[in-house]
Amino acid sequence: MKLSSSLFALLCLVCEIVSIALFLRGFFPVPVKSSLSAQSTESHVPAEPQTGSEPNTSKVPEPLFKRVVIVLIDALREDFVFGSDGRRFMPYTSHVVERGSSHSFIAKARPPTVTMPRIKALTTGSIPGFIDVVMNLNSPALLEDNLIWQAKSAGKRIIFYGDDTWVRLFPKHFLEHDGTTSFFVSDYTEVDNNVTRHLDGTLKRDDWDILILHYLGLDHIGHISGPHSSLIGPKLMEMDDIIKKIHASLISKESEGTLPNLLVLCGDHGMSETGSHGGSSEPEINTPLVLISPAFRRKVGFEKPGVLEQVDLTPTLALGLGLPISKNSVGHLIPAVFEELSLREQLRLLQINGHQLSRLLQDSNPTFHKEAGYEQFRVAEKSHGSWLKLYLDGNTSEVLSNMGKKVLKQYLEALKAMSSALSKQLGKYDMYSMIMGMIFILQVLFCLMLAMPEALSREAVVDVPLASSLLSLPFYLLCLFGSALHVLVCTSTGGTCYLCSLPWVLVFTVILLSSAFTCALVSMAARRMPASNKTPAKGSDWTLSELDALLLIGTVGHTLSLGSSSFIEEEHQTWYFLLNTLCLAIFQDVCRKYFREQRHRGEERDEGPLLPSSTEEGPSFSPAVELGMSSGSEKWLALATPLLTLTCCRLLRSLNQTGVQWAHLPDFGHWLNR
Ligand SMILES: [Zn+2]
């Protein structure tokens, strides 16, 4: 089949784009989505077991908190509150954490640790993928079911001050808002004053239920001068004063007969040792989460904060406010928050959360029956029913309360298992689609390489032997093999791959095309073979020198090192190593050239010139001679250059520590800053 060059190029381009799309489809995990079309409502809440026909049993339980104030400090690292920095710069918060009626946790933020995906995670309870980073700067309104939407439709009045990402995500949800921009990174004072100036007035008012404050100053300081900068201390003290002010105001509003208030202090993500964020290092993902409310038992001493996922806050806040849990939320309740409730109420809340998680699992995983958490939840719900039956009969024995505690434990384990199964699914790659995409890309690439001489010739016509390959035996064998492989992969993975979900006709067409393409490639390659044999290549006497080998191995090694995802942050180390090795190799090469030559010449002088040495043969080009230098100084210059380069490399290295691991080591940058 003869094709014109432009048509051939167009076809290749289309194939390439489709293959890349297939690869990306496998590389970016599909978000876990519930099949519920609308936002989850009261009607999706399961009935309390055993109470069946009674009214009011399939409702979300009453709220636990009257008002909630969420103080979100951007890039608040876990050790800024729980570490030595916290004790020094946030004395009030540390006191509340250690001795007040509070619960404190280390909340793990999932990478990408960037503000917008984190806000989305906190409000929807799901885990946004890396694709969300691209949307970070231009975030459209959040359409997914989320806590803010739930609160607004339940008639809660929400006030927001802080990062305007929230205002863009929730354009019509706030009763009152004032956005600050994160665009001017060098400003870390005004950006926070613009939030705090509203605080006194708002705290005095009674016309709101939820107040959200998002402070950006700390993040900006991190970007300017890192987590050990002298600016961090005063900023943390400022934040501590704000916490103190809000807490005092909430306590003063507390009165008998009304529900208690809740103050939440959290960070959206942490801060790396260089002051940036986005990656997955420990300081970046560990954020503090402090819940303060008179509803909690007063602590007697410092307890090590427990570890949980950042998304666990979403269902906890939802049920704490008496709202349905957002349908795509993958977190589970924080049990400590509800431990002062009666056993019946606790079990009810866990059942609602479990029901929501099991439904999400059913919708997103075709093999949900095999998940341990799903089965555990079914068992727990059954024993919950039998416990409630005894409870409603008026049984108050010790045995019953022990049984209730057992059900509680079953529920907690089931929730944890389902939650982790869902999060795991979000981080899973679709290897089958990725490999197939890669094979197609390589096929097109080889085809382009083989067709290049024909396509660029005068006729500009490419002869792709498709017709002849359609009649060949290997084509049918390949088709058979491809189909068998497809069936095998799809049956063994349980149909979670994207390619398996496509219609059978489409997949078979792709297999046909790919097989024909492979056969055509082989025959094209065979056609070119004899041509290259007839004319012996000019550079056949070319041998691999040590330098060539080094460059080749270095390039391959560097390419391979890029395959390791965590090594990317320290990529410069590879560069340093390769550059130094190259310099040394060149040095050795130069030494050998000059000293061997010298010895060679010495020998010549002894025995008399038998053959003219190659250097005296003709006028060879030498830059040093051109510049008017003698050959002696040229030699020393050539010898000194690699050494000089090596010294410069060492100086460059200590100019500024790059990367994350060794960022705290002293360098010239630190010294000059001081
Ligand atoms: Zn942030």
Side-chain angles (χ1 to χ4, degrees):
M1 194 165 69
K2 285 201 191 303
L3 293 171
S4 76
S5 285
S6 44
L7 186 64
F8 175 73
L10 187 74
L11 280 178
C12 283
L13 194 70
V14 170
C15 288
E16 199 83 326
I17 289 172
V18 171
S19 334
I20 290 174
L22 184 65
F23 178 85
L24 290 179
R25 181 65 175 68
F27 186 67
F28 289 113
V30 207
V32 170
K33 285 267 157 70
S34 164
S35 66
L36 293 177
S37 52
Q39 269 82 357
S40 70
T41 54
E42 295 249 308
S43 62
H44 298 121
V45 173
E48 197 171 10
Q50 288 300 321
T51 49
S53 54
E54 280 176 52
N56 290 339
T57 51
S58 65
K59 266 193 152 181
V60 180
E62 290 297 304
L64 298 165
F65 305 108
K66 184 161 158 259
R67 282 177 159 191
V68 174
V69 179
I70 300 171
V71 181
L72 199 161
I73 301 174
D74 212 282
L76 187 66
R77 224 158 83 157
E78 165 260 319
D79 63 330
F80 286 167
V81 177
F82 302 136
S84 59
D85 276 352
R87 242 159 273 141
R88 197 147 41 114
F89 300 124
M90 301 188 86
Y92 184 77
T93 313
S94 300
H95 175 76
V96 173
V97 163
E98 281 171 29
R99 311 223 150 245
S101 46
S102 67
H103 289 298
S104 38
F105 306 95
I106 293 173
K108 288 211 174 281
R110 286 295 181 109
T113 45
V114 186
T115 302
M116 196 202 66
R118 288 345 306 151
I119 295 176
K120 277 191 178 175
L122 280 168
T123 51
T124 63
S126 64
I127 300 171
F130 269 89
I131 202 87
D132 274 289
V133 182
V134 186
M135 318 287 280
N136 192 11
L137 292 172
N138 177 32
S139 47
L142 186 61
L143 299 172
E144 216 176 303
D145 189 8
N146 61 72
L147 188 67
I148 307 294
W149 186 90
Q150 293 285 359
K152 183 164 191 287
S153 43
K156 304 261 180 209
R157 294 154 298 176
I158 314 167
I159 293 184
F160 172 78
Y161 302 119
D163 187 359
D164 58 359
T165 310
W166 286 78
V167 183
R168 272 177 282 148
L169 283 174
F170 309 105
K172 295 193 191 85
H173 300 64
F174 301 125
L175 177 75
E176 202 181 299
H177 62 78
D178 182 17
T180 57
T181 175
S182 56
F183 191 73
F184 303 104
V185 176
S186 55
D187 162 39
Y188 50 84
T189 324
E190 273 316 304
V191 78
D192 283 354
N193 289 345
N194 280 339
V195 178
T196 313
R197 69 192 163 114
H198 299 286
L199 202 56
D200 285 321
T202 312
L203 286 175
K204 279 194 198 104
R205 282 155 51 183
D206 283 316
D207 61 343
W208 53 269
D209 303 296
I210 301 172
L211 171 65
I212 304 171
L213 307 169
H214 187 147
Y215 282 98
L216 282 170
L218 188 68
D219 180 66
H220 290 185
I221 290 177
H223 285 301
I224 298 167
S225 52
H228 303 293
S229 136
S230 54
L231 299 170
I232 294 276
K235 182 50 82 180
L236 289 179
M237 280 182 207
E238 183 192 332
M239 294 296 127
D240 195 46
D241 282 341
I242 287 160
I243 302 283
K244 190 175 177 179
K245 187 187 276 177
I246 297 171
H247 193 204
S249 155
L250 287 181
I251 288 175
S252 72
K253 297 242 164 176
E254 214 77 54
S255 57
E256 276 300 312
T258 58
L259 290 170
N261 297 322
L262 174 69
L263 170 59
V264 180
L265 166 67
C266 59
D268 57 343
H269 49 76
M271 191 190 285
S272 73
E273 282 303 308
T274 49
S276 66
H277 54 87
S280 55
S281 70
E282 284 285 309
E284 278 166 283
I285 59 169
N286 285 349
T287 65
L289 172 63
V290 184
L291 304 166
I292 308 166
S293 170
F296 305 146
R297 212 180 13 221
R298 190 170 273 276
K299 276 193 193 164
V300 281
F302 180 71
E303 294 162 21
K304 212 169 171 292
V307 177
L308 44 78
E309 293 278 332
Q310 202 177 32
V311 286
D312 292 345
L313 183 64
T314 319
T316 310
L317 277 183
L319 291 183
L321 285 165
L323 307 168
I325 301 172
S326 315
K327 59 175 181 173
N328 293 331
S329 155
V330 298
H332 60 83
L333 286 181
I334 305 172
V337 173
F338 304 99
E339 68 191 2
E340 297 294 300
L341 294 178
S342 75
L343 198 53
R344 183 180 174 181
E345 287 169 308
Q346 285 189 54
L347 290 179
R348 172 75 180 133
L349 293 176
L350 291 172
Q351 186 214 357
I352 292 173
N353 190 198
H355 187 264
Q356 174 259 333
L357 284 176
S358 71
R359 187 205 292 267
L360 190 59
L361 200 63
Q362 273 176 36
D363 289 337
S364 58
N365 190 348
T367 56
F368 65 92
H369 290 291
K370 288 182 198 151
E371 289 294 341
Y374 186 79
E375 203 41 54
Q376 269 174 318
F377 175 67
R378 290 271 154 264
V379 173
E381 209 173 20
K382 244 176 232 149
S383 28
H384 182 189
S386 39
W387 177 85
L388 202 64
K389 194 156 185 278
L390 290 172
Y391 178 84
L392 290 174
D393 287 346
N395 192 335
T396 50
S397 68
E398 180 89 359
V399 183
L400 188 73
S401 88
N402 281 343
M403 184 183 159
K405 276 178 197 144
K406 216 173 126 194
V407 178
L408 189 86
K409 223 173 125 197
Q410 275 179 331
Y411 263 140
L412 286 177
E413 274 166 19
L415 290 187
K416 213 168 260 176
M418 283 196 286
S419 178
S420 73
L422 282 166
S423 338
K424 222 179 274 162
Q425 192 158 346
L426 284 167
K428 212 164 61 179
Y429 300 122
D430 181 355
M431 283 311 269
Y432 184 43
S433 302
M434 279 167 74
I435 291 172
M436 289 320 280
M438 227 135 77
I439 289 176
F440 296 150
I441 291 172
L442 286 178
Q443 272 184 343
V444 175
L445 201 70
F446 278 124
C447 184
L448 268 177
M449 268 162 61
L450 287 171
M452 202 51 88
E454 276 179 76
L456 295 180
S457 68
R458 194 179 296 262
E459 293 91 49
V461 167
V462 181
D463 182 21
V464 184
L466 262 187
S468 63
S469 57
L470 278 179
L471 297 170
S472 64
L473 181 66
F475 167 68
Y476 295 105
L477 285 178
L478 269 175
C479 278
L480 214 63
F481 177 70
S483 313
L485 193 76
H486 181 72
V487 171
L488 195 74
V489 169
C490 286
T491 46
S492 62
T493 56
T496 48
C497 299
Y498 172 65
L499 277 178
C500 299
S501 64
L502 287 178
W504 174 235
V505 182
L506 193 67
V507 175
F508 192 67
T509 319
V510 170
I511 292 175
L512 272 180
L513 268 176
S514 174
S515 312
F517 217 56
T518 314
C519 293
L521 265 181
V522 171
S523 62
M524 271 166 91
R527 213 168 47 194
R528 298 202 62 78
M529 262 326 167
S532 61
N533 279 354
K534 264 177 243 160
T535 51
K538 261 192 178 173
S540 58
D541 55 342
W542 177 78
T543 50
L544 209 65
S545 79
E546 282 162 35
L547 267 183
D548 290 329
L550 181 75
L551 282 173
L552 214 65
I553 294 171
T555 311
V556 172
H558 183 215
T559 313
L560 285 181
S561 83
L562 290 180
S564 139
S565 58
S566 53
F567 208 70
I568 292 288
E569 286 167 346
E570 304 293 334
E571 194 202 338
H572 52 284
Q573 303 287 358
T574 328
W575 282 108
Y576 289 149
F577 175 73
L578 288 177
L579 190 61
N580 291 347
T581 320
L582 193 66
C583 276
L584 278 176
I586 289 175
F587 183 60
Q588 188 216 13
D589 212 47
V590 170
C591 279
R592 196 173 358 175
K593 190 178 159 211
Y594 281 104
F595 288 110
R596 253 210 204 140
E597 217 168 63
Q598 213 168 35
R599 203 181 305 151
H600 195 60
R601 274 190 202 162
E603 282 163 12
E604 270 171 14
R605 220 166 286 145
D606 288 345
E607 295 163 17
L610 294 172
L611 281 166
S613 73
S614 60
T615 44
E616 290 151 29
E617 223 168 5
S620 68
F621 176 76
S622 152
V625 172
E626 297 276 302
L627 286 169
M629 273 189 231
S630 69
S631 62
S633 60
E634 182 204 335
K635 180 175 117 188
W636 290 115
L637 190 68
L639 280 175
T641 309
L643 291 180
L644 200 71
T645 318
L646 275 176
T647 324
C648 286
C649 284
R650 185 66 197 92
L651 278 177
L652 261 179
R653 246 184 117 151
S654 52
L655 204 59
N656 208 337
Q657 295 288 355
T658 329
V660 175
Q661 285 248 0
W662 293 281
H664 57 278
L665 294 182
D667 54 38
F668 283 126
H670 284 149
W671 184 69
L672 285 174
N673 260 336
R674 239 186 291 143

